[in-house]
């Protein structure tokens, strides 16, 4: 049975995925000669490489993407000004209109490489220890968790969540950027270390100026975040409501307290 692919719609998810694949298509390379380490050197490290293993065998391109790989250079050469999205749409249409013999050839190539891939993948998986499998599994979960956090931060921003005010220390740092800016021969790290040391030498009364500003804005933030969270609950966005963010910033340690601890 010949593989077919649904024509692209104008919607972002599908077309975005196809555009990324089209950009990453590389010139044909015989899979049989590739061996286990067949991922391009230009790619970022795979999960397996991160735990000190060779990259796992790469899945062969489907007939549709083989067609895209073959036809894209010809399309770009004949129409250099065509955009990526226009190229994807045109290639999708060309694939739909392609003759049966071409599709059968690409399908046969795919099946051949798919068999080689399965054999290589079986051999590769057999070399993994239980510890390596567990480490790869954990790395995959870490990637999923990181993606969820990014998505949540983006969603919270889009929903207009009030921004938490800066701490007293960060306010001091911001003021020092104006009052005592970084020198021409001074790195930012050196300036930051010097400014941090200056903060530790401030008296409690000097720090209190920044603490008062921080407390004042924190009170306004509490009211704003409370109103915002109530609104989110009414709208059904329960997942973005985090009451832990209402905690006050820690008070700076006084010199007396620090001296007592040192004793």
């Amino acid at each position: 049975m010949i593989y077919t692919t649904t024509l692209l719609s104008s919607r972002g998810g599908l077309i975005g995925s196809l555009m990324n694949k089209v950009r990453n298509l590389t010139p044909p390379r015989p899979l049989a000669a590739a061996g286990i380490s067949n991922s391009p050197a230009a790619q970022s490290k795979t999960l397996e490489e991160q735990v000190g293993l060779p990259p796992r065998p790469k899945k062969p391109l489907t007939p549709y993407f083989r067609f895209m790989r073959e036809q894209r250079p010809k399309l770009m050469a004949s129409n250099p000004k065509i955009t990526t999205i226009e190229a994807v749409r045109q290639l999708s249409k060309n694939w739909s209109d392609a003759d049966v013999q071409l599709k059968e050839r690409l399908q046969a190539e795919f099946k051949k490489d798919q068999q080689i891939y399965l054999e290589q993948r079986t051999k590769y998986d057999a070399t993994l220890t239980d510890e390596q499998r567990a480490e790869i599994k954990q790395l995959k979960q870490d990637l999923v968790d990181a993606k969820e956090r990014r998505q949540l931060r983006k969603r919270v921003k889009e929903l207009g969540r009030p921004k938490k005010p800066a701490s007293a220390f960060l306010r001091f740092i911001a003021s020092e950027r104006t009052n005592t800016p970084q020198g021409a021969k001074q790195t930012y790290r050196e300036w930051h270390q010097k400014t941090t040391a200056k903060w530790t030498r401030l008296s409690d009364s000097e720090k209190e100026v920044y603490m008062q500003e921080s407390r004042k804005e924190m009170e306004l933030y509490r009211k704003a975040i409370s109103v915002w969270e109530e609104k989110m609950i009414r709208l059904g966005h329960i997942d973005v409501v985090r009451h832990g963010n209402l905690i006050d910033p820690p008070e700076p340690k006084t010199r007396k307290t620090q001296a007592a601890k040192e004793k």
Side-chain angles (χ1 to χ4, degrees):
M1 181 178 178
I2 298 175
Y3 269 47
T4 57
T5 302
T6 306
L7 288 176
L8 282 176
S9 66
S10 59
R11 296 186 179 181
L14 178 58
I15 201 166
S17 175
L18 290 171
M19 285 170 63
N20 289 332
K21 285 198 174 185
V22 169
R23 291 191 187 104
N24 295 328
L25 290 177
T26 55
R29 181 187 182 190
L31 184 59
I36 288 180
S37 300
N38 65 347
S39 61
Q43 287 186 351
S44 59
K45 285 188 176 182
T46 63
L47 295 179
E48 289 75 15
E49 289 176 303
Q50 291 181 39
V51 298
L53 295 170
R56 67 180 181 275
K58 190 175 181 181
K59 291 182 179 180
L61 292 176
T62 63
Y64 173 68
F65 282 105
R66 288 168 187 265
F67 176 82
M68 298 275 277
R69 183 179 61 185
E70 289 182 4
Q71 299 298 318
R72 183 171 182 266
K74 300 176 184 178
L75 178 63
M76 300 301 291
S78 63
N79 190 355
K81 295 183 179 181
I82 191 171
T83 65
T84 300
I85 190 170
E86 290 171 344
V88 170
R89 286 174 174 160
Q90 183 60 50
L91 290 170
S92 297
K93 183 180 183 302
N94 294 349
W95 167 256
S96 178
D97 298 335
D99 63 80
V100 175
Q101 289 183 343
L102 174 59
K103 290 186 176 181
E104 286 178 343
R105 175 177 67 81
L106 295 175
Q107 176 67 8
E109 292 176 1
F110 169 72
K111 284 186 176 181
K112 180 181 178 181
D113 285 352
Q114 177 75 351
Q115 183 60 39
I116 295 172
Y117 161 76
L118 292 174
E119 293 173 0
Q120 290 182 341
R121 185 59 189 267
T122 300
K123 292 178 181 179
Y124 182 88
D125 290 344
T127 65
L128 300 179
T129 65
D130 291 340
E131 291 77 9
Q132 289 170 333
R133 294 177 191 276
E135 193 169 356
I136 291 172
K137 183 179 180 180
Q138 184 59 53
L139 284 173
K140 288 181 179 179
Q141 186 59 50
D142 291 344
L143 289 175
V144 171
D145 294 343
K147 182 178 180 181
E148 290 178 350
R149 288 193 295 270
R150 289 195 301 271
Q151 290 175 338
L152 182 59
R153 286 195 295 268
K154 181 180 178 182
R155 186 157 174 261
V156 163
K157 185 177 180 179
E158 291 173 346
L159 290 171
R161 178 181 176 178
K163 187 175 180 180
K164 193 173 182 179
S167 65
F169 172 69
L170 291 180
R171 291 173 183 277
F172 173 75
I173 292 291
S175 67
E176 285 298 294
R177 286 177 180 169
T178 301
N179 300 332
T180 312
Q182 179 181 340
K185 297 183 179 181
Q186 188 180 36
T187 66
Y188 176 76
R189 183 176 182 180
E190 291 171 341
W191 175 85
H192 192 275
Q193 289 175 340
K194 184 177 180 180
T195 306
T196 301
K198 184 176 180 179
W199 166 262
T200 61
R201 294 193 299 269
L202 291 182
S203 65
D204 294 341
S205 60
E206 289 173 320
K207 289 182 178 180
E208 183 61 23
V209 174
Y210 299 97
M211 287 301 304
Q212 286 181 357
E213 294 177 359
S214 181
R215 281 193 288 264
K216 181 179 180 180
E217 289 202 10
M218 177 58 70
E219 186 61 30
L220 296 174
Y221 167 77
R222 285 184 173 212
K223 295 177 180 178
I225 196 70
S226 177
V227 172
W228 181 81
E229 286 181 334
E230 290 177 4
K231 179 181 178 181
M232 292 302 102
I233 292 173
R234 290 196 305 271
L235 296 176
H237 303 308
I238 308 297
D239 58 314
V240 300
V241 178
R242 295 188 176 186
H243 295 283
N245 290 330
L246 301 180
I247 299 175
D248 278 329
E251 296 280 339
K253 296 178 181 178
T254 62
R255 291 183 175 180
K256 292 182 180 179
T257 303
Q258 187 65 29
K261 287 188 176 181
E262 291 176 353
K263 291 181 181 180

